[in-house]
Amino acid sequence: MGIKAKDLITMEQLSVEEIENILQTAREMKNVLKRDIKKIPTLRGKAIINLFYEASTRTRTSFELAGKYMSADVINISTSTSSVVKGESLKDTGLTLEMMGADIVVIRHSMAGAPQMLGKYLKARVINAGDGFHEHPTQALLDMMTIKEHLGELKGIKVAIIGDILHSRVARSNIHGLTKMGAQVWLCGPPTLIPHGLEKLGVKVTYDINEALQDAQVVMMLRIQLERQKAGLFPTLREYSQLFGLNRERLQLAAKDCLVLHPGPMNRGIEISGEVADGLHSVINEQVTHGVAVRMALLYLMLGQKEEW
Amino acid sequence: MKYILKGGLVIDPRSGLEQVLDLLIENGRIVEMSPELQEKNVESIDVTGKIVAPGFIDLHVHLREPGGEAHETILTGCQAAVAGGFTTITAMPNTKPCADNEGVVELIKARAEKAGLSKVLPLGTVSKGQQGQEIAEIGSLYRAGAVGISDDGEPVTNSEVMRRALEYCKLFDIPVISHSEDHYLTAEGLMHEGYWSTVLGLKGIPPQAEEIMVARDILLAELTGGRLHLAHLSTAGSVELLRFAKERGIKVTAEVTPHHLCLTDEEVKTYDTSTKVSPPLRSPEHLTAVRQALKEGVIECVATDHAPWASEDKEQEFAKAPNGISGLETAVPMCWDALVVSGLMKPRELIARFTTGPAKILTLDRGYLAPGAVADITVIDPDLKKKVVAKDFYSKGKNSPVDGKTYQGWPVMTIVDGKIVMEDGKVKEGR
């Protein structure tokens, strides 16, 4: 079983079975990563293009390595050095890449909906590597893999996602994924960064970080961007940190064996103290490894067998 | 040219007439209306089973010319208008250059005359260059033929400028048409703020962004005694404010678009850029409120806010695509299906919102059927079910969120000055 739809755009679109299948496959891929020679021939002759309209270290590199570890040809396009600078549209850029033989286009874009649009124009499969404030499905999958590896399952666990929910694609993808798998999701942040209607998604919302942290088995901190402060959504980084930053004292409210996650890049000392980021509960570095495994699994599932749409 | 329009159900909201009658049309006017008209050697056109209504009027059309000919020209816009059953449309002044001077107004009039399809009434801008700073030469615009003024597309943010415009327009007894939007609240907003904006990760526009300006403009209309017309009203709160204003006797009128009457913000979930419009498609409770207000006549008219865009502009990322819906060719079936077929409104009520409603707002001597009246007529087939095919639009703008949807109740004939300019959806040569 692969991915039912042509494109992987959201966690919302995935069924429980699809998610379990991806995570199972990712566990097998992780074994490949542990080998001395990290190369399997699975995707030989396949072309993967990373089309990144936004800066990225983790996501882009892990997609690239995931493809290369499986012997695919991987090309990276950063739009700042492409014809996008000359004003080429997303549609034309996508069609151009497809005509060169791309089997999968991985797209990162600052605007929500761009991957959907690209998928509509291309016959090649499209993977969303993060679109605006919408979704970042591979991040949610690697988070879920990390949690599952430590806690065994997702069902019934309390996950607190803390920070700028409004502008977070990581939060949205995790909300869809985790609630689907039966986790109890709590969202916490200042009211100015909590959007309307979240309760309809089956989550709990609180402005009180202590309530969110209480007995949480997973604490997921989100990156806060300075530009949000400039937009007047909170007064200063100092005040934000005091109200919503995770430090050692606060973490004691959480479950004894809780996990601390962060999608990166971190603002140490702002949303998370260095002590916690490097502490016993932190699985932030494992998340990065799982990112490669999950992306290998997806590329394999989406390119491994011949399918028609 | 002389002919008889035979056997149709004539519905004239002004007189309350609703009866099967034959219309004798000669030299661009209705000569006679009576049952079973017999005239020797006169051609007769059978419209049995159809509704014969006064020519529909659309108060809110962007014709794009001059300056935006890639999106629409006056000719293609007029073709779209008569294809959609409209005999009179206004031309919004936000062209390039904008209609802040009589030259542009004259140009629009002349080219519309040459097209010879629907009648086109130009609107002028409120402010010079639509900058919202100083009022335009409204007197010159009026003398050149502008029937109202609007900075549509941009709100008049400066309350003092809006006040003076409302006051000054009393000289000519023309309305100031308000595009009600608080710029600070809508900044970078892409859709209605609510559940769907949250799920889709698109920045939301709260209803209050409209309502704050609606409230302000109502208060300024009260202060000045000027005539205010509210464009594309879209929220339940705006409807409440409108009711309040009317109870106070303030001179305010309003329009609502077919898309705000028929579509909700859920349509945006595919990121189809043809659903991107200002004001944005709202959640269901707002749709219910504007429908009710239209039924009661609190909102006097339906206006399309026809905003055509070339495909290259709409085939972009959602955030980059411009706002607007190509609406002229789908307005009547959308409204007929959602409001009349559903049983919410009587045919006569909806026809009034397309005829007497807009005519009253602009104090036009149009929008009725009577012996001696100009023969501007819209014939509707209330039973015809048809699918919308946007690629076949006469408009250059194929940006329709209802492409592929099927509606019941279509205009099948448009008559302007006695000349049949559209039949069965096909536009004929001009007058």
Side-chain angles (χ1 to χ4, degrees), chain A residues 12 53 88-91 109 111-114 116-117 120-121 131-135 166 172 176 195-198 200-201, chain B residues 190 193-204 206 269-273 311-312 314-321:
Chain A
E12 197 186 5
Y53 281 77
E88 186 163 46
S89 71
L90 175 58
K91 178 184 174 181
H109 203 295
M111 296 175 193
Q116 257 102 333
M117 185 188 146
K120 202 173 78 183
Y121 294 123
D131 63 325
F133 314 142
H134 178 218
E135 283 227 32
L166 178 63
R172 280 177 184 74
H176 290 301
H196 284 240
L198 282 170
K200 274 205 224 167
L201 295 171
Chain B
L190 297 167
E193 183 170 325
Y195 171 77
W196 284 108
S197 65
T198 294
V199 169
L200 295 170
L202 294 172
K203 190 174 179 218
K269 70 182 173 191
T270 58
Y271 293 96
D272 177 356
T273 56
S311 64
E312 61 267 27
K314 278 291 196 178
E315 285 180 352
Q316 294 195 84
E317 292 87 336
F318 198 87
K320 278 194 196 166

Short mmCIF file of all heavy atoms in Angstrom, two decimals, chain A residues 12 53 88-91 109 111-114 116-117 120-121 131-135 166 172 176 195-198 200-201, chain B residues 190 193-204 206 269-273 311-312 314-321:
data_model
loop_
_atom_site.label_atom_id
_atom_site.label_comp_id
_atom_site.label_asym_id
_atom_site.label_seq_id
_atom_site.Cartn_x
_atom_site.Cartn_y
_atom_site.Cartn_z
N GLU A 12 -4.25 16.05 7.05
CA GLU A 12 -5.70 15.92 7.03
C GLU A 12 -6.15 14.84 6.05
O GLU A 12 -7.12 14.13 6.27
CB GLU A 12 -6.29 17.28 6.64
CG GLU A 12 -7.75 17.44 6.97
CD GLU A 12 -8.32 18.75 6.43
OE1 GLU A 12 -7.62 19.48 5.71
OE2 GLU A 12 -9.50 19.01 6.71
N TYR A 53 11.05 27.47 -2.13
CA TYR A 53 10.81 28.91 -2.23
C TYR A 53 11.12 29.60 -0.90
O TYR A 53 10.85 30.78 -0.76
CB TYR A 53 9.35 29.18 -2.60
CG TYR A 53 9.04 28.99 -4.07
CD1 TYR A 53 8.87 27.72 -4.60
CD2 TYR A 53 8.90 30.08 -4.92
CE1 TYR A 53 8.58 27.54 -5.94
CE2 TYR A 53 8.60 29.91 -6.27
CZ TYR A 53 8.44 28.63 -6.77
OH TYR A 53 8.15 28.46 -8.10
N GLU A 88 9.30 34.02 -13.31
CA GLU A 88 8.59 32.84 -13.79
C GLU A 88 7.56 32.38 -12.75
O GLU A 88 7.84 32.35 -11.55
CB GLU A 88 9.57 31.70 -14.09
CG GLU A 88 8.88 30.50 -14.73
CD GLU A 88 9.85 29.52 -15.41
OE1 GLU A 88 10.88 29.18 -14.79
OE2 GLU A 88 9.58 29.11 -16.54
N SER A 89 6.39 32.02 -13.23
CA SER A 89 5.31 31.63 -12.31
C SER A 89 5.56 30.23 -11.78
O SER A 89 6.31 29.45 -12.35
CB SER A 89 3.96 31.68 -13.02
OG SER A 89 3.88 30.63 -13.95
N LEU A 90 4.86 29.91 -10.69
CA LEU A 90 4.97 28.58 -10.09
C LEU A 90 4.51 27.53 -11.09
O LEU A 90 5.12 26.46 -11.23
CB LEU A 90 4.12 28.54 -8.81
CG LEU A 90 4.01 27.18 -8.11
CD1 LEU A 90 5.37 26.65 -7.71
CD2 LEU A 90 3.11 27.30 -6.88
N LYS A 91 3.43 27.83 -11.80
CA LYS A 91 2.90 26.89 -12.79
C LYS A 91 3.97 26.56 -13.85
O LYS A 91 4.24 25.39 -14.13
CB LYS A 91 1.67 27.52 -13.46
CG LYS A 91 1.04 26.67 -14.54
CD LYS A 91 -0.11 27.43 -15.20
CE LYS A 91 -0.66 26.64 -16.39
NZ LYS A 91 -1.75 27.35 -17.07
N HIS A 109 7.04 26.34 0.31
CA HIS A 109 6.60 27.65 -0.18
C HIS A 109 6.08 28.47 0.99
O HIS A 109 5.47 27.93 1.92
CB HIS A 109 5.50 27.47 -1.23
CG HIS A 109 5.36 28.63 -2.17
ND1 HIS A 109 4.95 29.87 -1.75
CD2 HIS A 109 5.56 28.74 -3.51
CE1 HIS A 109 4.91 30.70 -2.79
NE2 HIS A 109 5.29 30.03 -3.87
N MET A 111 3.68 30.47 0.85
CA MET A 111 2.25 30.76 0.73
C MET A 111 1.42 29.49 0.79
O MET A 111 1.66 28.54 0.04
CB MET A 111 1.98 31.48 -0.59
CG MET A 111 2.65 32.83 -0.67
SD MET A 111 2.42 33.56 -2.27
CE MET A 111 3.63 34.90 -2.18
N ALA A 112 0.41 29.51 1.66
CA ALA A 112 -0.47 28.35 1.82
C ALA A 112 -1.15 28.03 0.50
O ALA A 112 -1.55 28.92 -0.24
CB ALA A 112 -1.52 28.65 2.89
N GLY A 113 -1.26 26.74 0.21
CA GLY A 113 -1.98 26.31 -0.98
C GLY A 113 -1.11 26.12 -2.21
O GLY A 113 -1.57 25.55 -3.20
N ALA A 114 0.14 26.60 -2.17
CA ALA A 114 1.01 26.48 -3.35
C ALA A 114 1.22 25.01 -3.77
O ALA A 114 1.17 24.71 -4.97
CB ALA A 114 2.34 27.18 -3.10
N GLN A 116 -0.83 22.44 -3.44
CA GLN A 116 -2.07 21.98 -4.08
C GLN A 116 -2.10 22.43 -5.52
O GLN A 116 -2.45 21.69 -6.43
CB GLN A 116 -3.29 22.65 -3.43
CG GLN A 116 -4.06 21.78 -2.50
CD GLN A 116 -3.69 22.14 -1.09
OE1 GLN A 116 -2.58 22.64 -0.86
NE2 GLN A 116 -4.56 21.91 -0.15
N MET A 117 -1.77 23.72 -5.68
CA MET A 117 -1.83 24.31 -7.00
C MET A 117 -0.84 23.62 -7.94
O MET A 117 -1.18 23.25 -9.06
CB MET A 117 -1.48 25.79 -6.84
CG MET A 117 -1.61 26.56 -8.11
SD MET A 117 -0.94 28.20 -7.84
CE MET A 117 -0.28 28.45 -9.45
N LYS A 120 -2.02 20.27 -9.03
CA LYS A 120 -3.09 20.35 -10.01
C LYS A 120 -2.51 20.43 -11.44
O LYS A 120 -3.09 19.90 -12.38
CB LYS A 120 -3.93 21.59 -9.71
CG LYS A 120 -5.34 21.55 -10.27
CD LYS A 120 -6.16 22.76 -9.78
CE LYS A 120 -5.80 24.01 -10.56
NZ LYS A 120 -6.49 25.23 -10.10
N TYR A 121 -1.38 21.10 -11.58
CA TYR A 121 -0.82 21.31 -12.91
C TYR A 121 0.09 20.16 -13.37
O TYR A 121 0.37 20.02 -14.55
CB TYR A 121 -0.04 22.62 -12.98
CG TYR A 121 -0.91 23.84 -12.83
CD1 TYR A 121 -0.67 24.78 -11.83
CD2 TYR A 121 -1.99 24.05 -13.70
CE1 TYR A 121 -1.49 25.90 -11.69
CE2 TYR A 121 -2.80 25.17 -13.56
CZ TYR A 121 -2.54 26.08 -12.56
OH TYR A 121 -3.34 27.19 -12.42
N ASP A 131 3.89 24.62 3.62
CA ASP A 131 3.32 25.73 2.83
C ASP A 131 2.71 26.77 3.76
O ASP A 131 1.67 26.57 4.36
CB ASP A 131 2.30 25.22 1.79
CG ASP A 131 1.07 24.55 2.38
OD1 ASP A 131 1.19 23.87 3.43
OD2 ASP A 131 -0.02 24.71 1.81
N GLY A 132 3.36 27.90 3.83
CA GLY A 132 2.84 29.03 4.62
C GLY A 132 2.49 28.59 6.02
O GLY A 132 3.27 27.90 6.69
N PHE A 133 1.29 29.00 6.45
CA PHE A 133 0.82 28.62 7.79
C PHE A 133 -0.08 27.40 7.71
O PHE A 133 -0.81 27.10 8.64
CB PHE A 133 0.04 29.77 8.44
CG PHE A 133 0.68 31.11 8.32
CD1 PHE A 133 -0.09 32.26 8.10
CD2 PHE A 133 2.06 31.26 8.40
CE1 PHE A 133 0.50 33.50 7.98
CE2 PHE A 133 2.65 32.50 8.27
CZ PHE A 133 1.87 33.62 8.06
N HIS A 134 -0.05 26.70 6.58
CA HIS A 134 -1.03 25.65 6.37
C HIS A 134 -0.60 24.31 6.97
O HIS A 134 -1.01 23.98 8.07
CB HIS A 134 -1.31 25.53 4.86
CG HIS A 134 -2.27 24.45 4.49
ND1 HIS A 134 -2.11 23.68 3.37
CD2 HIS A 134 -3.38 24.02 5.10
CE1 HIS A 134 -3.12 22.82 3.30
NE2 HIS A 134 -3.90 23.01 4.33
N GLU A 135 0.25 23.58 6.26
CA GLU A 135 0.63 22.25 6.77
C GLU A 135 2.10 21.94 6.48
O GLU A 135 2.73 22.54 5.59
CB GLU A 135 -0.26 21.17 6.14
CG GLU A 135 -1.66 21.10 6.77
CD GLU A 135 -2.09 19.68 7.12
OE1 GLU A 135 -1.22 18.84 7.47
OE2 GLU A 135 -3.30 19.41 7.05
N LEU A 166 -1.07 30.23 15.60
CA LEU A 166 -1.66 30.92 14.44
C LEU A 166 -0.81 30.77 13.18
O LEU A 166 -1.33 30.50 12.11
CB LEU A 166 -1.85 32.42 14.77
CG LEU A 166 -2.41 33.32 13.67
CD1 LEU A 166 -3.82 32.91 13.28
CD2 LEU A 166 -2.41 34.79 14.13
N ARG A 172 -0.58 22.74 12.83
CA ARG A 172 -1.76 22.25 12.09
C ARG A 172 -1.59 20.80 11.68
O ARG A 172 -2.51 19.99 11.82
CB ARG A 172 -2.03 23.14 10.88
CG ARG A 172 -2.76 24.44 11.26
CD ARG A 172 -2.96 25.33 10.06
NE ARG A 172 -3.57 26.60 10.44
CZ ARG A 172 -2.95 27.59 11.08
NH1 ARG A 172 -1.68 27.43 11.46
NH2 ARG A 172 -3.57 28.71 11.38
N HIS A 176 -3.93 17.54 13.15
CA HIS A 176 -4.66 16.55 12.34
C HIS A 176 -4.13 15.13 12.60
O HIS A 176 -4.90 14.20 12.81
CB HIS A 176 -4.53 16.87 10.85
CG HIS A 176 -5.28 18.09 10.42
ND1 HIS A 176 -6.63 18.22 10.58
CD2 HIS A 176 -4.87 19.24 9.83
CE1 HIS A 176 -7.03 19.39 10.11
NE2 HIS A 176 -5.97 20.03 9.66
N PRO A 195 -5.67 30.95 16.69
CA PRO A 195 -6.73 31.30 15.72
C PRO A 195 -8.10 30.80 16.13
O PRO A 195 -8.24 30.01 17.08
CB PRO A 195 -6.26 30.59 14.45
CG PRO A 195 -5.46 29.44 14.93
CD PRO A 195 -4.83 29.86 16.21
N HIS A 196 -9.12 31.26 15.41
CA HIS A 196 -10.51 30.89 15.66
C HIS A 196 -10.80 29.42 15.36
O HIS A 196 -10.21 28.86 14.45
CB HIS A 196 -11.43 31.70 14.74
CG HIS A 196 -11.60 33.11 15.15
ND1 HIS A 196 -12.82 33.64 15.47
CD2 HIS A 196 -10.70 34.11 15.30
CE1 HIS A 196 -12.67 34.91 15.80
NE2 HIS A 196 -11.40 35.22 15.69
N GLY A 197 -11.73 28.86 16.08
CA GLY A 197 -12.35 27.60 15.65
C GLY A 197 -11.52 26.35 15.87
O GLY A 197 -11.83 25.30 15.33
N LEU A 198 -10.45 26.44 16.67
CA LEU A 198 -9.60 25.27 16.87
C LEU A 198 -10.33 24.13 17.56
O LEU A 198 -10.06 22.96 17.29
CB LEU A 198 -8.37 25.66 17.70
CG LEU A 198 -7.26 26.40 16.95
CD1 LEU A 198 -6.22 26.92 17.93
CD2 LEU A 198 -6.61 25.47 15.93
N LYS A 200 -13.10 22.98 17.14
CA LYS A 200 -13.79 22.11 16.17
C LYS A 200 -12.86 21.02 15.65
O LYS A 200 -13.32 20.05 15.04
CB LYS A 200 -14.28 22.94 14.98
CG LYS A 200 -15.62 23.59 15.19
CD LYS A 200 -16.27 23.84 13.82
CE LYS A 200 -16.88 25.21 13.76
NZ LYS A 200 -17.24 25.62 12.39
N LEU A 201 -11.55 21.20 15.83
CA LEU A 201 -10.61 20.20 15.35
C LEU A 201 -10.36 19.12 16.41
O LEU A 201 -9.48 18.27 16.24
CB LEU A 201 -9.29 20.86 14.95
CG LEU A 201 -9.38 21.83 13.77
CD1 LEU A 201 -8.06 22.59 13.58
CD2 LEU A 201 -9.72 21.08 12.49
N LEU B 190 -6.69 37.21 3.59
CA LEU B 190 -6.92 36.49 2.34
C LEU B 190 -8.30 35.86 2.25
O LEU B 190 -8.76 35.52 1.17
CB LEU B 190 -5.86 35.39 2.19
CG LEU B 190 -4.42 35.89 2.08
CD1 LEU B 190 -3.44 34.73 2.24
CD2 LEU B 190 -4.19 36.59 0.75
N GLU B 193 -12.31 35.36 8.30
CA GLU B 193 -11.67 34.81 9.49
C GLU B 193 -12.63 33.88 10.22
O GLU B 193 -13.72 34.28 10.61
CB GLU B 193 -11.24 35.94 10.44
CG GLU B 193 -10.49 35.44 11.65
CD GLU B 193 -9.85 36.57 12.45
OE1 GLU B 193 -9.40 37.56 11.83
OE2 GLU B 193 -9.80 36.45 13.68
N GLY B 194 -12.24 32.63 10.38
CA GLY B 194 -13.09 31.66 11.05
C GLY B 194 -12.46 30.28 10.96
O GLY B 194 -11.25 30.15 10.77
N TYR B 195 -13.29 29.28 11.09
CA TYR B 195 -12.80 27.90 11.08
C TYR B 195 -11.94 27.60 9.86
O TYR B 195 -10.84 27.06 9.97
CB TYR B 195 -13.99 26.94 11.15
CG TYR B 195 -13.62 25.50 10.95
CD1 TYR B 195 -13.02 24.77 11.98
CD2 TYR B 195 -13.84 24.86 9.73
CE1 TYR B 195 -12.67 23.45 11.80
CE2 TYR B 195 -13.50 23.53 9.54
CZ TYR B 195 -12.91 22.83 10.57
OH TYR B 195 -12.56 21.53 10.38
N TRP B 196 -12.42 28.00 8.68
CA TRP B 196 -11.69 27.63 7.47
C TRP B 196 -10.37 28.37 7.32
O TRP B 196 -9.39 27.81 6.82
CB TRP B 196 -12.58 27.81 6.23
CG TRP B 196 -13.58 26.70 6.14
CD1 TRP B 196 -14.92 26.78 6.38
CD2 TRP B 196 -13.29 25.31 5.87
NE1 TRP B 196 -15.48 25.53 6.27
CE2 TRP B 196 -14.53 24.62 5.96
CE3 TRP B 196 -12.13 24.60 5.57
CZ2 TRP B 196 -14.62 23.23 5.74
CZ3 TRP B 196 -12.22 23.23 5.35
CH2 TRP B 196 -13.45 22.56 5.44
N SER B 197 -10.32 29.61 7.75
CA SER B 197 -9.03 30.32 7.67
C SER B 197 -8.02 29.65 8.60
O SER B 197 -6.83 29.58 8.30
CB SER B 197 -9.18 31.81 7.99
OG SER B 197 -9.57 32.00 9.33
N THR B 198 -8.51 29.15 9.71
CA THR B 198 -7.63 28.44 10.65
C THR B 198 -7.10 27.15 10.02
O THR B 198 -5.90 26.89 10.04
CB THR B 198 -8.39 28.12 11.95
OG1 THR B 198 -8.70 29.35 12.59
CG2 THR B 198 -7.59 27.25 12.88
N VAL B 199 -8.00 26.36 9.45
CA VAL B 199 -7.59 25.08 8.87
C VAL B 199 -6.65 25.30 7.68
O VAL B 199 -5.67 24.58 7.51
CB VAL B 199 -8.83 24.27 8.44
CG1 VAL B 199 -8.43 23.07 7.59
CG2 VAL B 199 -9.60 23.82 9.66
N LEU B 200 -6.96 26.30 6.88
CA LEU B 200 -6.20 26.50 5.63
C LEU B 200 -4.93 27.32 5.85
O LEU B 200 -4.09 27.42 4.95
CB LEU B 200 -7.08 27.19 4.59
CG LEU B 200 -8.28 26.34 4.13
CD1 LEU B 200 -9.23 27.16 3.28
CD2 LEU B 200 -7.81 25.11 3.36
N GLY B 201 -4.78 27.89 7.02
CA GLY B 201 -3.58 28.68 7.28
C GLY B 201 -3.52 29.95 6.45
O GLY B 201 -2.45 30.40 6.07
N LEU B 202 -4.69 30.50 6.14
CA LEU B 202 -4.73 31.76 5.39
C LEU B 202 -5.15 32.87 6.34
O LEU B 202 -6.06 32.69 7.15
CB LEU B 202 -5.75 31.65 4.25
CG LEU B 202 -5.40 30.65 3.14
CD1 LEU B 202 -6.55 30.49 2.17
CD2 LEU B 202 -4.14 31.07 2.39
N LYS B 203 -4.50 34.03 6.24
CA LYS B 203 -4.80 35.09 7.18
C LYS B 203 -6.26 35.54 7.02
O LYS B 203 -6.73 35.77 5.91
CB LYS B 203 -3.86 36.27 7.00
CG LYS B 203 -4.06 37.24 8.14
CD LYS B 203 -3.10 38.39 8.19
CE LYS B 203 -3.49 39.25 9.39
NZ LYS B 203 -3.37 40.67 9.16
N GLY B 204 -6.92 35.67 8.15
CA GLY B 204 -8.35 35.95 8.15
C GLY B 204 -8.68 37.43 8.09
O GLY B 204 -7.90 38.29 8.50
N PRO B 206 -11.75 39.66 9.54
CA PRO B 206 -12.95 39.57 10.38
C PRO B 206 -14.09 40.38 9.77
O PRO B 206 -13.84 41.37 9.08
CB PRO B 206 -12.49 40.17 11.71
CG PRO B 206 -11.39 41.11 11.35
CD PRO B 206 -10.71 40.51 10.14
N LYS B 269 -11.61 25.98 0.38
CA LYS B 269 -10.77 24.89 0.89
C LYS B 269 -9.89 24.22 -0.16
O LYS B 269 -8.94 23.54 0.20
CB LYS B 269 -11.61 23.86 1.63
CG LYS B 269 -12.52 23.02 0.78
CD LYS B 269 -13.32 22.07 1.69
CE LYS B 269 -14.36 21.32 0.90
NZ LYS B 269 -15.31 20.62 1.75
N THR B 270 -10.19 24.40 -1.42
CA THR B 270 -9.32 23.85 -2.46
C THR B 270 -8.23 24.84 -2.87
O THR B 270 -7.43 24.56 -3.75
CB THR B 270 -10.13 23.51 -3.72
OG1 THR B 270 -10.77 24.71 -4.17
CG2 THR B 270 -11.18 22.45 -3.43
N TYR B 271 -8.22 26.00 -2.26
CA TYR B 271 -7.31 27.10 -2.62
C TYR B 271 -7.54 27.57 -4.06
O TYR B 271 -6.64 28.12 -4.69
CB TYR B 271 -5.84 26.70 -2.45
CG TYR B 271 -5.41 26.46 -1.03
CD1 TYR B 271 -5.38 25.19 -0.49
CD2 TYR B 271 -5.03 27.52 -0.21
CE1 TYR B 271 -4.99 24.96 0.81
CE2 TYR B 271 -4.64 27.31 1.09
CZ TYR B 271 -4.61 26.03 1.61
OH TYR B 271 -4.22 25.82 2.90
N ASP B 272 -8.73 27.32 -4.58
CA ASP B 272 -9.07 27.83 -5.91
C ASP B 272 -9.09 29.36 -5.84
O ASP B 272 -9.89 29.94 -5.10
CB ASP B 272 -10.44 27.27 -6.30
CG ASP B 272 -10.92 27.80 -7.65
OD1 ASP B 272 -10.22 28.65 -8.24
OD2 ASP B 272 -11.99 27.35 -8.09
N THR B 273 -8.23 30.00 -6.61
CA THR B 273 -8.11 31.45 -6.49
C THR B 273 -9.35 32.19 -7.01
O THR B 273 -9.50 33.37 -6.75
CB THR B 273 -6.87 31.98 -7.24
OG1 THR B 273 -6.94 31.54 -8.60
CG2 THR B 273 -5.59 31.46 -6.62
N SER B 311 -6.23 34.80 -17.04
CA SER B 311 -5.87 33.56 -16.34
C SER B 311 -4.50 33.67 -15.66
O SER B 311 -4.31 33.14 -14.57
CB SER B 311 -5.89 32.38 -17.31
OG SER B 311 -4.90 32.55 -18.30
N GLU B 312 -3.56 34.36 -16.29
CA GLU B 312 -2.22 34.42 -15.69
C GLU B 312 -2.24 35.12 -14.32
O GLU B 312 -1.39 34.87 -13.48
CB GLU B 312 -1.20 35.06 -16.62
CG GLU B 312 -1.47 36.49 -17.03
CD GLU B 312 -2.26 36.58 -18.34
OE1 GLU B 312 -3.01 35.63 -18.65
OE2 GLU B 312 -2.12 37.61 -19.03
N LYS B 314 -4.87 34.95 -12.14
CA LYS B 314 -5.51 34.08 -11.15
C LYS B 314 -4.74 32.76 -10.97
O LYS B 314 -4.86 32.12 -9.93
CB LYS B 314 -6.95 33.80 -11.57
CG LYS B 314 -7.93 34.92 -11.19
CD LYS B 314 -8.13 35.03 -9.66
CE LYS B 314 -9.37 35.84 -9.30
NZ LYS B 314 -9.61 35.92 -7.85
N GLU B 315 -3.97 32.34 -11.98
CA GLU B 315 -3.20 31.09 -11.85
C GLU B 315 -1.90 31.35 -11.11
O GLU B 315 -0.81 31.20 -11.63
CB GLU B 315 -2.92 30.49 -13.23
CG GLU B 315 -4.16 29.85 -13.85
CD GLU B 315 -3.90 29.24 -15.21
OE1 GLU B 315 -2.80 29.43 -15.76
OE2 GLU B 315 -4.82 28.58 -15.73
N GLN B 316 -2.05 31.78 -9.89
CA GLN B 316 -0.89 32.08 -9.04
C GLN B 316 -1.19 31.52 -7.65
O GLN B 316 -2.28 31.06 -7.38
CB GLN B 316 -0.72 33.59 -8.91
CG GLN B 316 -0.36 34.31 -10.18
CD GLN B 316 0.15 35.71 -9.85
OE1 GLN B 316 1.33 35.89 -9.54
NE2 GLN B 316 -0.72 36.69 -9.88
N GLU B 317 -0.20 31.61 -6.79
CA GLU B 317 -0.41 31.25 -5.41
C GLU B 317 -1.58 32.07 -4.85
O GLU B 317 -1.76 33.23 -5.24
CB GLU B 317 0.86 31.54 -4.59
CG GLU B 317 2.06 30.67 -4.94
CD GLU B 317 2.89 31.22 -6.11
OE1 GLU B 317 2.36 31.98 -6.95
OE2 GLU B 317 4.08 30.86 -6.18
N PHE B 318 -2.33 31.48 -3.93
CA PHE B 318 -3.54 32.13 -3.43
C PHE B 318 -3.23 33.54 -2.91
O PHE B 318 -3.97 34.49 -3.18
CB PHE B 318 -4.17 31.28 -2.32
CG PHE B 318 -5.60 31.63 -2.03
CD1 PHE B 318 -6.63 31.05 -2.76
CD2 PHE B 318 -5.92 32.56 -1.05
CE1 PHE B 318 -7.96 31.39 -2.51
CE2 PHE B 318 -7.24 32.90 -0.79
CZ PHE B 318 -8.26 32.31 -1.52
N ALA B 319 -2.13 33.66 -2.19
CA ALA B 319 -1.80 34.96 -1.61
C ALA B 319 -1.47 36.01 -2.67
O ALA B 319 -1.66 37.20 -2.46
CB ALA B 319 -0.64 34.82 -0.63
N LYS B 320 -0.97 35.55 -3.82
CA LYS B 320 -0.57 36.49 -4.87
C LYS B 320 -1.72 36.87 -5.79
O LYS B 320 -1.69 37.93 -6.42
CB LYS B 320 0.51 35.85 -5.74
CG LYS B 320 1.92 35.91 -5.20
CD LYS B 320 2.85 35.54 -6.36
CE LYS B 320 4.23 35.18 -5.90
NZ LYS B 320 4.97 34.52 -6.98
N ALA B 321 -2.70 35.99 -5.93
CA ALA B 321 -3.77 36.21 -6.90
C ALA B 321 -4.61 37.42 -6.49
O ALA B 321 -4.82 37.66 -5.31
CB ALA B 321 -4.65 34.97 -7.00
#
